[in-house]
Amino acid sequence: MKERQLKDLLYEQVARIGKALSSPKRLELLELLAQGEKTVETLTSESGGDVKLVSAHLRALREARLVEVRREGRFMVYRASGADVGALLATLRDVAESHLVELRLALEQLVDAEAQLTGISRETLLEQARRGDVLVLDVRPESEYRSAHLPFARSMPLDELEHQLDALPSDKPIVAYCRGPFCLMSEQAVGLLRARGFRAARIDDGVSEWLAHGLTVDSSTNPTH
């Protein structure tokens, strides 16, 4: 094979990933799968799509080797083919936010700036959580928490939060997170917590963003604090 043909082939293979990521709905499905395994039915419900269309998108992602699938009874269960897939998605979002003013403006409308935790690095937050100075709250579904979560985080799904407020400390700040910067569960959690007198804020990071910045995540189910 000539050098020019070989280079064309190399770029063509890399372009398969770019092509698979060129659909907004496929990006959303990858974000969901970066949280853990999900059935087609669950993905359809959480993405607000149609089963046939979601299945078609999943086939495209599978052809690009970005997702894998297994059968469990009558259900087809999908998962991201590696943690690097979620990290790639997080990096892609970072690049888009850096270069697209339209995205930045949309994010400003999506998230209440007052609810955002600012001025603290990921490493500082991790150390504060390790010491027990702050409670990091994972408000995603518990199955996603079991798959992977930020170190020292406690699982308290958004739909259970209001009924478990008595289990939360009133003497320390609470930092909530969910699936990443496009996820609203953490903002809803912060709104509820603040309305009940807790000191609470949210971070944009989810598991994928944490990994994309070279930090580790945990899969143990017992919170440290």
Side-chain angles (χ1 to χ4, degrees):
M1 184 177 292
K2 294 182 179 180
E3 181 180 342
R4 180 68 264 167
Q5 292 174 313
L6 180 57
K7 290 189 71 172
D8 288 344
L9 176 61
L10 294 174
Y11 284 115
E12 181 181 343
Q13 293 306 307
V14 176
R16 292 174 61 189
I17 303 299
K19 183 178 181 181
L21 297 177
S22 66
S23 160
K25 185 57 67 176
R26 289 199 285 272
L27 292 176
E28 183 177 2
L29 292 172
L30 278 180
E31 180 180 84
L32 291 170
L33 290 171
Q35 317 305 315
E37 289 189 329
K38 294 181 184 290
T39 64
V40 176
E41 290 74 16
T42 298
L43 288 167
T44 299
S45 174
E46 293 185 350
S47 68
D50 170 80
V51 172
K52 290 184 178 179
L53 186 58
V54 167
S55 296
H57 283 310
L58 290 170
R59 283 195 298 272
L61 292 171
R62 190 180 179 192
E63 289 172 0
R65 309 293 193 271
L66 293 174
V67 302
E68 298 172 349
V69 64
R70 64 180 177 84
R71 181 179 291 277
E72 188 173 284
R74 64 186 183 88
F75 297 104
M76 302 303 291
V77 182
Y78 281 83
R79 63 179 178 272
S81 57
D84 55 352
V85 174
L88 171 63
L89 187 60
T91 300
L92 181 63
R93 277 197 304 259
D94 284 346
V95 172
E97 187 175 352
S98 295
H99 294 274
L100 298 176
V101 65
E102 296 89 347
L103 177 56
R104 295 196 296 273
L105 291 173
L107 283 170
E108 288 176 4
Q109 297 178 44
L110 182 71
V111 177
D112 180 5
E114 293 185 0
Q116 198 77 11
L117 181 68
T118 58
I120 297 180
S121 69
R122 295 177 177 87
E123 292 78 10
T124 299
L125 177 61
L126 179 61
E127 177 60 22
Q128 290 179 347
R130 186 192 66 78
R131 294 197 308 259
D133 296 338
V134 63
L135 173 62
V136 177
L137 212 58
D138 185 325
V139 297
R140 300 174 300 161
E142 188 176 357
S143 61
E144 297 181 7
Y145 173 86
R146 290 197 303 267
S147 179
H149 54 267
L150 303 195
F152 310 108
R154 179 187 298 182
S155 176
M156 193 166 288
L158 179 61
D159 59 2
E160 301 176 13
L161 180 59
E162 188 167 10
H163 304 292
Q164 297 193 40
L165 293 176
D166 290 343
L168 296 176
S170 58
D171 60 344
K172 67 177 65 175
I174 297 173
V175 176
Y177 78 92
C178 49
R179 294 167 175 162
F182 295 176
C183 175
L184 291 176
M185 287 187 287
S186 58
E187 173 149 344
Q188 294 170 11
V190 168
L192 174 60
L193 290 168
R194 287 185 170 186
R196 299 301 178 88
F198 292 92
R199 290 179 292 157
R202 71 180 293 275
I203 55 173
D204 282 338
D205 283 354
V207 168
S208 295
E209 289 72 26
W210 207 256
L211 290 171
H213 286 87
L215 299 171
T216 60
V217 295
D218 199 355
S219 58
S220 64
T221 56
N222 295 318
T224 304
H225 301 289

